[in-house]
Amino acid sequence: MFMTMLSAYYVLLHKLSGQTDIIIGSPIAGRDAKQSEKLVGMFVNTLALRQDVSTAETFADLLENVKEMTLKAFEHQHYPFDKLVDDLSLDRDLSRSPIFQAAMGYVTDSLDVNLKGLTSEHVMVHHTVSKFDLTLHIFEQEEQLSIHVEYNTDLFDQETIHRYMNYYLHVLDGMTAQPERTFADYCLMDKVEQAAMILGKNQTDTPYPKRTLQELFEEQVKRDPYRIALSYMDEHMTYEALDKKATKLAAYLQSKGIGPGSLVPMLFDRSFDMIVSVLGIIKSGAAYVPMSPEYPDARIRLIVRDTQSDVIITQSHLADRLVGFYRYKDYHGQANTRNKCSVSKRIIDYR
């Protein structure tokens, strides 16, 4: 039973982490010699049980591999765990235990204590500090198994642990019902959780505001005119300043015949000018067609030709990319002292 529970734990950790080479720590009584049975003392040692789950295809294969590995580990149960840590000369990290961070303890002996003249009762001790990230304590009593979980609250909350334990029980069901099944495609979630994840989580319908981007932006300007709208490097621009510059550009575009139905190509580096131009084009009633300076000249010409636009907006240092198929004209909008920007078929240099 121990090896079955351990195999299911390997599958659980493999599925949750995506790792195949997994080490689980497990305490062992250390009383394999008959002479130690009646001795009073602490003989418990910790075994580091390492298993590569990628070497098995089915649950049955994994169980066989775990059985073989565990029996070999039992042969070395007297090798002190502390000495193992020292011998490996591992780099210690105070945030986690060495060698393994997941553990499993399994108790098969009866917990009934018969002391002459005394009565006893079982008391479950609740630890306030978790020794490892995740530990399963499994108690076998008669025909029942009880599982207690100890976990690091810095990593997991109670809801997550409940879900993990449901996964663990689901794996055990799969192992016992279909031992010859491959576990690579075995889903930890039951049908109810799968439906909730696939259908429930994808119910992302959101009421869309029946207002244009321009209206939403202008509402924000009225609400917080002096709030920072744009930040780049050490420069900032408020909503009010952004609105004024975009409105000025929109008026200029409209004076050149740009309005609803127009397409306006724009060639910009990332800058305040780019955002001002986007909003200015929208405010004019037109649609903007963004182009990147990284585009080859042939693609820029193709986009410009397809838009059949009388106007392009760009920055002055990029205007040379457009010379030859548009005439150049400066537009002074004072968008940003750091950059100069242009409009026209006019190429407009938006400053």
Side-chain angles (χ1 to χ4, degrees):
M1 184 61 74
F2 167 73
M3 294 175 186
T4 300
M5 304 297 284
L6 182 61
S7 298
Y9 197 17
Y10 279 118
V11 174
L12 175 69
L13 295 176
H14 163 61
K15 290 289 186 178
L16 292 177
S17 67
Q19 298 180 19
T20 56
D21 190 1
I22 300 171
I23 303 175
I24 296 176
S26 182
I28 189 166
R31 292 179 178 269
D32 54 326
K34 187 174 176 116
Q35 296 85 343
S36 64
E37 290 181 0
K38 295 184 179 182
L39 292 178
V40 176
M42 182 70 170
F43 294 86
V44 175
N45 188 29
T46 302
L47 298 179
L49 304 175
R50 184 176 186 177
Q51 182 63 49
D52 186 352
V53 299
S54 65
T55 60
E57 293 187 5
T58 66
F59 287 124
D61 292 337
L62 178 63
L63 183 57
E64 187 62 31
N65 291 349
V66 169
K67 179 180 178 180
E68 180 182 353
M69 176 273 297
T70 305
L71 291 176
K72 287 182 179 178
F74 286 168
E75 295 175 1
H76 303 279
Q77 62 180 283
H78 296 295
Y79 190 87
F81 179 72
D82 291 341
K83 188 175 188 308
L84 175 63
V85 174
D86 291 339
D87 289 347
L88 291 176
S89 300
L90 300 173
D91 293 332
R92 301 299 294 268
D93 184 344
L94 295 179
S95 67
R96 61 181 183 176
S97 59
I99 301 183
F100 60 84
Q101 291 78 51
M104 190 184 94
Y106 193 94
V107 178
T108 56
D109 294 334
S110 172
L111 296 179
D112 293 329
V113 179
N114 295 314
L115 299 174
K116 188 175 181 179
L118 298 175
T119 57
S120 64
E121 63 176 323
H122 300 157
V123 176
M124 180 59 65
V125 177
H126 298 283
H127 298 158
T128 58
V129 177
S130 176
K131 295 184 179 69
F132 307 104
D133 292 349
L134 184 64
T135 304
L136 302 187
H137 299 285
I138 302 175
F139 299 91
E140 180 182 345
Q141 294 177 275
E142 298 177 353
E143 297 182 355
Q144 284 189 328
L145 289 176
S146 61
I147 303 173
H148 299 265
V149 187
E150 182 179 302
Y151 60 94
N152 186 341
T153 54
D154 289 337
L155 301 176
F156 309 107
D157 56 27
Q158 191 175 54
E159 181 182 353
T160 299
I161 294 300
H162 283 166
R163 189 169 71 253
Y164 286 179
M165 288 304 99
N166 286 334
Y167 294 163
Y168 184 58
L169 296 178
H170 190 50
V171 170
L172 285 170
D173 288 340
M175 290 184 67
T176 54
Q178 299 174 294
E180 298 301 326
R181 172 174 178 161
T182 58
F183 60 82
D185 59 348
Y186 189 77
C187 183
L188 293 179
M189 296 182 287
D190 57 26
K191 292 183 179 180
V192 174
E193 187 175 359
Q194 287 184 53
M197 183 66 67
I198 296 172
L199 301 177
K201 296 292 186 183
N202 285 308
Q203 299 302 317
T204 56
D205 295 345
T206 302
Y208 194 81
K210 296 181 179 180
R211 286 163 291 173
T212 64
L213 176 61
Q214 178 182 345
E215 290 170 335
L216 291 171
F217 173 73
E218 290 174 350
E219 287 177 11
Q220 178 64 31
V221 173
K222 291 178 181 179
R223 193 162 47 242
D224 293 297
Y226 303 112
R227 188 171 181 177
I228 298 299
L230 302 177
S231 293
Y232 183 74
M233 305 293 284
D234 296 328
E235 299 183 60
H236 308 283
M237 185 181 292
T238 65
Y239 278 101
E240 183 181 62
L242 176 58
D243 183 56
K244 285 181 179 179
K245 294 177 185 298
T247 300
K248 187 173 182 178
L249 175 59
Y252 180 84
L253 291 173
Q254 288 172 338
S255 72
K256 302 302 179 184
I258 299 299
S262 301
L263 297 176
V264 181
M266 47 181 288
L267 179 64
F268 279 88
D269 287 323
R270 186 171 302 217
S271 61
F272 285 0
D273 300 332
M274 178 179 68
I275 305 302
V276 170
S277 297
V278 167
L279 287 171
I281 294 170
I282 291 173
K283 279 175 171 283
S284 73
Y288 66 91
V289 181
M291 300 183 294
S292 170
E294 296 180 0
Y295 290 174
D297 291 344
R299 183 172 183 184
I300 291 176
R301 289 191 179 92
L302 177 64
I303 293 174
V304 171
R305 186 177 69 244
D306 285 349
T307 63
Q308 298 181 349
S309 176
D310 291 333
V311 171
I312 301 176
I313 306 181
T314 188
Q315 292 163 297
S316 57
H317 68 278
L318 296 174
D320 290 344
R321 299 282 302 276
L322 304 171
V323 171
F325 56 106
Y326 278 121
R327 65 180 184 275
Y328 180 84
K329 179 177 181 180
D330 284 348
Y331 164 74
H332 301 282
Q334 295 301 319
N336 194 318
T337 57
R338 182 172 47 81
N339 285 320
K340 293 182 178 179
C341 149
S342 38
V343 178
S344 178
K345 193 154 192 188
R346 296 177 311 235
I347 302 169
I348 299 181
D349 176 17
Y350 182 68
R351 302 178 200 251

